[in-house]
Amino acid sequence: MISCLIVDDEPIALDILENYVKKTPFLVLRGRCAGAMDAMKIMATEKIDLLFLDIQMPQINGLEFSKTLHDDTKVIFTTAFEQYALDGFKVNALGYLLKPFNYTEFLEAAMRAKEWFDLKQTKVSQPAGSDSMFVKSEYKLVKIEFDKLLFIEGLKDYAKFYLQDKNAPILSLMTLKSLEESLPSYFMRVHRSYIVNLKKVTTIERNEIVFGQASIPVAEKYKDAFQGFLNSK
């Protein structure tokens, strides 16, 4: 179940959204709010997964409020102004509903959110000592062989796996933090956005690890650990 809040300064819009949420079996309504300040009070005591959030509101508008949210809380914007659509997607919204919208349009946006949360909760592990793992990518399970994996790039909630035998990376919904806990010990975090396969490191130039055309910076925080690896060789 996805716990959600509806936030809008128009009572009629709140009534419509409340009706739509209650008709949707995988959504649980935790509250209705006339503005961001009311929403923050509820979020201080309740875990909220999803906000149906109006953009034009007094005091704090929806775009500004969305930038203060934790990455685990997602947003579907609801607004009467089409010009805000691009701004909505710039802040990583899961959807954008243009008023007046009907239940079918609402349900389509809610289903996209459900797919996102379902993917996020999918954790594929591998037995200890395994030489590969499976990750979910575009609704498929894709096998990642560790001896072909060069490095992983983190992009917010996503990870891009760069393999030596593939031109394009494999994109999966997971964080580098979760990967650090499941990868073999010869994978090292060298930057907040990169994990590298130490077995594949052959070239270092100006404090960057070079894999073909890609250069991976080694951040100050990880320099000592990486230097320790180099010294051991």
Side-chain angles (χ1 to χ4, degrees):
M1 302 292 281
I2 300 171
S3 64
C4 61
L5 277 183
I6 51 178
V7 188
D8 200 304
D9 62 334
E10 297 177 5
I12 293 175
L14 286 173
D15 290 341
I16 292 170
L17 281 166
E18 181 174 355
N19 178 45
Y20 287 173
V21 169
K22 288 181 175 179
K23 285 170 64 174
T24 308
F26 54 84
L27 297 179
V28 178
L29 184 61
R30 298 300 186 194
R32 49 182 282 169
C33 310
M37 303 303 291
D38 291 341
M40 283 189 277
K41 290 176 184 176
I42 293 175
M43 295 177 75
T45 58
E46 295 243 22
K47 182 182 182 299
I48 302 299
D49 300 314
L50 181 64
L51 285 167
F52 291 94
L53 181 61
D54 188 22
I55 291 181
Q56 279 209 327
M57 294 187 297
Q59 293 183 302
I60 303 174
N61 71 42
L63 284 171
E64 292 169 343
F65 181 44
S66 70
K67 294 173 183 176
T68 70
L69 299 174
H70 190 276
D71 286 344
D72 289 340
T73 302
K74 293 302 177 184
V75 171
I76 293 176
F77 283 113
T78 62
T79 181
F81 300 94
E82 191 172 2
Q83 68 266 28
Y84 289 121
L86 180 59
D87 292 329
F89 288 111
K90 281 181 180 177
V91 295
N92 206 27
L94 291 183
Y96 186 96
L97 288 166
L98 185 64
K99 299 176 182 177
F101 49 86
N102 57 34
Y103 180 65
T104 299
E105 293 168 315
F106 173 91
L107 184 59
E108 287 174 354
M111 286 299 296
R112 286 195 297 271
K114 184 177 184 299
E115 289 173 1
W116 189 92
F117 283 105
D118 286 347
L119 279 171
K120 190 173 188 297
Q121 291 169 6
T122 301
K123 292 185 178 179
V124 183
S125 60
Q126 70 280 355
S130 175
D131 59 1
S132 63
M133 70 185 298
F134 283 89
V135 300
K136 201 161 189 176
S137 180
E138 297 180 352
Y139 310 107
K140 298 179 293 186
L141 286 175
V142 179
K143 186 177 182 179
I144 304 287
E145 295 182 42
F146 295 144
D147 64 352
K148 295 180 180 178
L149 178 57
L150 299 174
F151 65 94
I152 308 164
E153 180 182 8
L155 300 166
K156 292 203 78 171
D157 298 317
Y158 290 87
K160 293 171 77 173
F161 296 82
Y162 291 82
L163 304 169
Q164 62 187 25
D165 58 349
K166 289 187 179 294
N167 292 326
I170 294 168
L171 183 67
S172 182
L173 184 64
M174 58 176 59
T175 64
L176 290 191
K177 183 177 179 181
S178 66
L179 282 166
E180 276 188 292
E181 298 167 358
S182 57
L183 288 167
S185 59
Y186 52 86
F187 284 87
M188 179 182 284
R189 186 83 168 259
V190 296
H191 188 277
R192 72 175 178 179
S193 300
Y194 293 99
I195 294 174
V196 300
N197 184 344
L198 296 175
K199 292 183 176 182
K200 299 295 182 180
V201 175
T202 59
T203 305
I204 301 165
E205 184 177 308
R206 298 188 184 92
N207 203 41
E208 292 188 342
I209 303 164
V210 180
F211 294 109
Q213 299 299 311
S215 294
I216 311 301
V218 179
E220 190 68 33
K221 178 180 177 180
Y222 303 98
K223 277 184 181 178
D224 289 345
F226 185 64
Q227 187 61 51
F229 157 74
L230 294 179
N231 293 342
S232 71
K233 302 298 175 183

